[in-house]
Amino acid sequence: MSECVLCGRTFSPKLSLARLVSLTKIKRSLICPQCFAGFEKITYANACWGCGRKQSGRTLCKDCRRWQQKGYELLENKACYVYDEPHMKKYFACYKFTGDYQLGTVFQTDMRQQLEWYLKRKWLLVVIPVDEETYQKRGFNQVCGLLPQVKLNSYLRHRQKMGRKKQSHKNRQERLQVPQPFSYVGPMDLKQQNILLLDDIYTTGSTLYHASALLHEHNSGKIKSVTLAR
Ligand SMILES: [Zn+2]
Ligand SMILES: [Zn+2]
């Protein structure tokens, strides 16, 4: 018997032989089937092609049109699940805010699937960093935790600023107006290398567009992104 991390219900995880040989699948026994069924998967055909938001049809949402008007090349973000529903919010609360590292592996298969196309074409994976204070408290970068067996490059660092409000405590307007939160610590010349940015949640896009602007300054090639939730 297992106890579901999200709802506390006890359940017996069905472990088939296929599951037993795959550690990934066993990790799924952290969450009960009812909670799992609650996560809302985003399908390619019903997502904004700019940010990966769930919608009807593959068009461009108004937030992405705004990024385009500002002159940004769209990140064509691919997201696995809808963020704004109770199960995913609960998941992130357990994973990020209570620091349960094990929970990161629950979605690694979904994340891997999103990366395949890019990895085959030798895109470089660059991870969005967490700020120092959060890192000290949580003990891990939640994005790296989603993909424990993949090589992720840390080319970005959070700029130190005392008393800075946490991203999750800011409202939408505040997030869009923040100045560049990162400094660059990668190779001086990226020599037109294509880069895939990885983050846990796409909220306004501000974090990822700031990161992409910085990489472009160092002569990157194309930049796209993948997130677990949108
Ligand atoms: Zn549950
Ligand atoms: Zn969009």
Side-chain angles (χ1 to χ4, degrees):
M1 291 297 266
S2 297
E3 192 174 306
C4 174
V5 177
L6 301 191
C7 70
R9 249 188 300 243
T10 49
F11 67 105
S12 45
K14 289 192 195 81
L15 292 177
S16 64
L17 189 62
R19 284 188 170 206
L20 280 170
V21 294
S22 156
L23 271 172
T24 308
K25 298 273 169 58
I26 291 174
K27 294 288 185 201
R28 291 204 164 197
S29 63
L30 292 167
I31 295 176
C32 77
Q34 283 97 325
C35 285
F36 239 107
F39 296 129
E40 254 183 81
K41 224 171 165 147
I42 300 174
T43 60
Y44 181 87
N46 285 308
C48 165
W49 66 262
C51 64
R53 176 206 299 271
K54 186 178 178 177
Q55 58 178 23
S56 54
R58 197 150 179 82
T59 52
L60 204 58
C61 76
K62 69 174 192 321
D63 288 348
C64 287
R65 286 202 297 268
R66 209 177 298 149
W67 285 114
Q68 235 176 8
Q69 282 156 12
K70 284 187 193 166
Y72 286 90
E73 199 179 312
L74 295 179
L75 288 164
E76 297 177 29
N77 186 59
K78 292 192 178 70
C80 307
Y81 291 92
V82 173
Y83 178 61
D84 200 10
E85 59 83 23
H87 298 86
M88 193 47 82
K89 285 208 158 146
K90 187 95 185 271
Y91 168 81
F92 273 108
C94 290
Y95 179 42
K96 287 170 77 165
F97 303 113
T98 65
D100 189 344
Y101 183 75
Q102 274 211 82
L103 271 173
T105 55
V106 166
F107 294 112
Q108 66 174 314
T109 310
D110 298 277
M111 289 296 282
R112 272 309 288 246
Q113 279 168 6
Q114 303 284 23
L115 303 189
E116 286 314 320
W117 191 94
Y118 299 97
L119 289 174
K120 273 190 199 136
R121 287 159 185 80
K122 307 257 180 277
W123 285 51
L124 200 75
L125 307 180
V126 171
V127 65
I128 297 294
V130 290
D131 61 78
E132 194 56 33
E133 193 191 333
T134 308
Y135 189 86
Q136 292 302 339
K137 212 156 74 184
R138 196 180 293 151
F140 61 94
N141 175 325
Q142 74 274 2
V143 189
C144 298
L146 296 172
L147 288 155
Q149 280 143 30
V150 180
K151 162 130 182 64
L152 305 174
N153 296 284
S154 306
Y155 288 177
L156 305 167
R157 288 262 189 285
H158 257 277
R159 289 194 167 146
Q160 290 294 347
K161 226 186 263 176
M162 298 308 283
R164 199 163 46 83
K165 244 187 175 179
K166 274 181 112 164
Q167 187 78 352
S168 50
H169 297 156
K170 282 179 198 153
N171 66 32
R172 187 191 163 78
Q173 205 48 40
E174 285 175 312
R175 282 190 211 194
L176 287 172
Q177 287 167 353
V178 289
Q180 178 59 263
F182 306 122
S183 53
Y184 181 79
V185 291
M188 281 322 286
D189 187 354
L190 286 165
K191 300 183 178 156
Q192 289 296 305
Q193 168 70 52
N194 292 332
I195 287 173
L196 184 68
L197 285 169
L198 296 168
D199 205 357
D200 53 353
I201 309 169
Y202 183 118
T203 311
T204 63
S206 166
T207 301
L208 286 161
Y209 279 105
H210 273 304
S212 95
L214 205 50
L215 292 164
H216 275 306
E217 281 173 23
H218 290 82
N219 193 30
S220 73
K222 285 184 213 143
I223 300 179
K224 305 290 174 211
S225 63
V226 162
T227 59
L228 174 59
R230 166 65 174 110

